[in-house]
Amino acid sequence: MEKILKEWEAELRLNGFRITHPFRDVMEVIISSPKPLSPMEIFSKVRDHNPQIGLVTVYRSIEKLEQLDLLDHIHHINECQTVFPSAKAHKHLIICEKCGRSTYLDGLEIESEFKNISKEAGYEITGHWLQLSGLCEECQ
Amino acid sequence: MEKILKEWEAELRLNGFRITHPFRDVMEVIISSPKPLSPMEIFSKVRDHNPQIGLVTVYRSIEKLEQLDLLDHIHHINECQTVFPSAKAHKHLIICEKCGRSTYLDGLEIESEFKNISKEAGYEITGHWLQLSGLCEECQ
DNA sequence: GTGCTTGCAAATTCTTTGCAACTTT
DNA sequence: AAAGTTGCAAAGAATTTGCAAGCAC
């Protein structure tokens, strides 16, 4: 978590953003969460040890991190505003449907199959979006 | 489109819902659209030939159709409130990233590969969610 | 010191709810 | 006639914007 935080801060500084205390608090909460969080969830976690934080700051922090592709928006049934540190390479997310714990998986190679099927439908594929759901070790 | 409309109406009646004019207008707009629509888009299309429709009716119509699984919620970058007639079987959607035209694809068999990869991460897979994006024939 | 960032308050936007009048069955 | 449905208006949520004060560089 310290490692990712350092990376994020470096990237932010490179792009002219400033690292303030409230902003760092938001980043720490996001990075140390095992599951995607909504703006309100982030707000409430940050407030636990920084009571004067404003919800607006959470929204604006998310906005900056998204601009630099450091965050992914995670879509789930009835929940499409949660964020999670982004996958660097081409990975896919698996979410525990009970507790929300999430991880990026590596090694799924499915592109070639997509291409064939899509051609039949007349589409030229440019990207895909795959998310798995299941039960994590603890919840099984 | 007439065929789907008839199916929907039958299913609705079976479940005690009533088919009113405004409700049918909403269904027709959804069914005849080549791309997923947001509540506001549906509202504005219906209003073109039925100026007294209320936006609330659109929301409530969507709610009923969703209850019967006749509609899918389609998630897209920056847009997760659009709806599209649902796939009957186990299909996956492809969305044109330029014009939004969407189609369900058949024949993607990828479950087995998911299972292996996920086991390595300690997850037991219960479902997945896959969406392709690309360019439709016209937009290529 | 300069200029980005914060938090408040207010404004917007999106969605839901209460209710009397109206339709469908 | 009974019961679900509509559209209005108002309430609630969620997100964005304006701005003076504060902080990072």
Side-chain angles (χ1 to χ4, degrees), chain B residues 18-72:
Chain B
R18 291 178 182 181
I19 316 296
T20 64
H21 284 297
F23 191 11
R24 184 179 284 114
D25 291 341
V26 169
M27 290 191 281
E28 285 179 354
V29 163
I30 295 174
I31 292 176
S32 57
S33 169
K35 73 183 198 67
L37 299 175
S38 66
M40 187 52 83
E41 287 171 320
I42 296 170
F43 175 60
S44 114
K45 277 177 199 293
V46 172
R47 205 171 31 177
D48 286 348
H49 61 98
N50 176 355
Q52 72 271 26
I53 184 105
L55 177 56
V56 195
T57 300
V58 174
Y59 278 101
R60 287 193 278 226
S61 300
I62 291 175
E63 194 181 12
K64 290 167 200 161
L65 295 170
E66 278 187 315
Q67 269 179 43
L68 302 182
D69 284 319
L70 299 174
L71 279 189
D72 280 347

Side-chain angles (χ1 to χ4, degrees), chain B residues 35-119:
Chain B
K35 73 183 198 67
L37 299 175
S38 66
M40 187 52 83
E41 287 171 320
I42 296 170
F43 175 60
S44 114
K45 277 177 199 293
V46 172
R47 205 171 31 177
D48 286 348
H49 61 98
N50 176 355
Q52 72 271 26
I53 184 105
L55 177 56
V56 195
T57 300
V58 174
Y59 278 101
R60 287 193 278 226
S61 300
I62 291 175
E63 194 181 12
K64 290 167 200 161
L65 295 170
E66 278 187 315
Q67 269 179 43
L68 302 182
D69 284 319
L70 299 174
L71 279 189
D72 280 347
H73 245 98
I74 308 303
H75 296 247
H76 214 185
I77 314 117
N78 299 323
E79 204 16 321
C80 24
Q81 301 307 336
T82 61
V83 294
F84 200 62
S86 66
K88 299 300 172 197
H90 198 117
K91 298 186 176 183
H92 300 101
L93 194 71
I94 177 160
I95 306 180
C96 175
E97 60 187 21
K98 200 160 162 207
C99 73
R101 175 178 296 272
S102 300
T103 310
Y104 284 100
L105 297 180
D106 214 355
L108 269 174
E109 282 311 329
I110 40 186
E111 330 270 301
S112 58
E113 191 165 1
F114 293 167
K115 296 237 194 273
N116 296 332
I117 302 275
S118 310
K119 193 168 281 178

Side-chain angles (χ1 to χ4, degrees), chain A residues 18 20 52-54 57 60 64:
Chain A
R18 294 181 180 177
T20 64
Q52 73 271 25
I53 184 103
T57 300
R60 288 194 276 226
K64 290 168 201 162

Side-chain angles (χ1 to χ4, degrees), chain A residues 39-81:
Chain A
M40 189 51 85
E41 288 171 318
I42 296 170
F43 175 60
S44 114
K45 279 179 198 292
V46 171
R47 205 171 32 178
D48 287 348
H49 61 97
N50 177 354
Q52 73 271 25
I53 184 103
L55 178 55
V56 195
T57 300
V58 174
Y59 278 100
R60 288 194 276 226
S61 300
I62 291 175
E63 194 182 12
K64 290 168 201 162
L65 295 170
E66 277 185 316
Q67 269 179 43
L68 302 183
D69 283 319
L70 300 173
L71 279 188
D72 280 348
H73 245 99
I74 307 303
H75 296 246
H76 215 184
I77 314 117
N78 298 322
E79 203 18 319
C80 24
Q81 301 307 336

